Amino acid sequence: MNYMVSEHLLTIIFCGAMKTRRIKLTAEERKHLIIKAARPLFAAHGFKGTSVRMIAESANVSEALLYKHFPDKEAIYREMFKYSLSQIKVIMKGLKDITAGSEAIVLFIYAVYTLILKEIPGRAADQRSFERLLLQSLLNDADFARSVFTAYHDTFIDIFTRSLHIAIQQGDIIQLPISEGNRIWFAHHLAMGLQLIFMTGVPAYEYHLSKDELVNEGVIYSLRGMGMTDTAIHKYFKPDELRAYVTKLIGLKSPIQ
């Protein structure tokens, strides 16, 4: 199922349809709009707290029309998984193609903190909905969270492990009694924990740092925690260059704020 349709175009079509009721959407466009309408509802209310009627009203369709595209609420939830994961894979593909080594590890960790803690221009609403979906999943059956973490693991664990071996051989990272995969997962989960502090828009704890400063401190903390030496961090951790690379990686023209 291809959902890579311009959301701007769909929004125009959708708004026009609301006003005139004369524009007929294709089945794919209608499904995409239903999924887009369902995502913030599932994020806010969870699977059990979201009804088909709520989704239909948010998508501006009748329940009968919604059932023509999806047999039940579970089917909408499953398709929403596929859509969310497809967006993740687009972002992670660029990270998978980089050259293995110490520099790649620094880029991985910087990208993790940046994409979790900072707003991506033009995608902030989807970003927040995704985060709330992940949190709701962790508080309930964790199915969505497992799918997300599996997608992450399958996408970058091989290149990260190769990079770790190279960095250890080069003396940039010391041997530690910590499993290889957990070195990056601990960094990822710490970034998730920091984002929870800002989830409501009003920080639950005031770090007295800008988001850039918080990202930088989180990256340095994680690099040191996984065993990277001060010399290697000084050599490879160049925030301005890393910010420009991640911006280019996800197809943006202006830096992530």
Side-chain angles (χ1 to χ4, degrees):
M1 182 79 60
N2 178 18
Y3 290 117
M4 303 303 289
V5 182
S6 168
E7 293 205 1
H8 178 65
L9 175 60
L10 287 174
T11 301
I12 294 174
I13 293 172
F14 183 46
C15 291
M18 289 176 63
K19 293 178 180 179
T20 66
R21 303 288 183 176
R22 295 178 182 177
I23 298 176
K24 183 176 178 60
L25 302 181
T26 66
E28 182 179 342
E29 290 168 342
R30 181 68 71 186
K31 281 188 173 184
H32 180 79
L33 286 173
I34 291 172
I35 291 169
K36 186 176 181 182
R39 193 165 51 208
L41 293 175
F42 282 127
H45 306 290
F47 179 79
K48 293 182 179 179
T50 302
S51 67
V52 170
R53 175 175 294 181
M54 291 165 64
I55 297 171
E57 290 177 352
S58 181
N60 198 46
V61 300
S62 66
E63 289 186 54
L65 180 56
L66 185 147
Y67 280 122
K68 286 185 178 180
H69 296 288
F70 297 98
D72 49 37
K73 185 173 66 172
E74 287 79 1
I76 300 174
Y77 204 53
R78 287 194 299 271
E79 288 298 325
M80 189 178 62
F81 285 173
K82 293 179 183 178
Y83 176 78
S84 295
L85 294 178
S86 72
Q87 305 306 298
I88 294 169
K89 290 177 179 179
V90 167
I91 293 173
M92 299 308 298
K93 183 180 183 301
L95 291 176
K96 187 177 180 180
D97 294 336
I98 64 177
T99 302
S102 302
E103 192 170 8
I105 289 177
V106 175
L107 176 59
F108 269 119
I109 302 303
Y110 184 84
V112 164
Y113 275 90
T114 297
L115 297 175
I116 290 177
L117 290 177
K118 299 182 72 176
E119 286 193 356
I120 302 175
R123 307 178 195 175
D126 285 345
Q127 196 177 355
R128 296 290 86 82
S129 291
F130 173 78
E131 290 166 357
R132 290 181 179 279
L133 271 172
L134 196 58
L135 178 59
Q136 284 282 359
S137 176
L138 289 169
L139 292 173
N140 292 282
D141 59 18
D143 284 345
F144 181 61
R146 290 190 191 94
S147 297
V148 170
F149 295 152
T150 297
Y152 285 165
H153 183 277
D154 292 347
T155 302
F156 62 63
I157 197 63
D158 288 342
I159 181 66
F160 178 80
T161 301
R162 291 202 305 274
S163 294
L164 185 62
H165 290 168
I166 291 171
I168 290 173
Q169 290 172 2
Q170 293 176 338
D172 289 336
I173 287 182
I174 64 174
Q175 293 281 8
L176 290 172
I178 302 174
S179 62
E180 294 175 351
N182 283 347
R183 297 200 196 197
I184 191 168
W185 279 116
F186 288 161
H188 181 273
H189 294 163
L190 175 57
M192 287 179 58
L194 288 173
Q195 179 54 27
L196 286 176
I197 300 296
F198 298 91
M199 185 71 78
T200 64
V202 179
Y205 176 81
E206 182 55 67
Y207 284 95
H208 300 290
L209 297 171
S210 69
K211 279 295 182 71
D212 277 330
E213 291 169 334
L214 188 61
V215 166
N216 292 345
E217 289 196 4
V219 171
I220 293 172
Y221 184 88
S222 295
L223 291 174
R224 289 293 286 123
M226 68 174 55
M228 184 166 282
T229 66
D230 289 336
T231 300
I233 292 174
H234 180 75
K235 180 178 180 180
Y236 297 113
F237 182 57
K238 309 292 184 183
D240 290 342
E241 295 178 13
L242 290 165
R243 187 183 307 112
Y245 190 94
V246 172
T247 296
K248 181 180 179 181
L249 184 71
I250 61 177
L252 297 178
K253 295 182 179 179
S254 57
I256 301 172
Q257 300 301 316

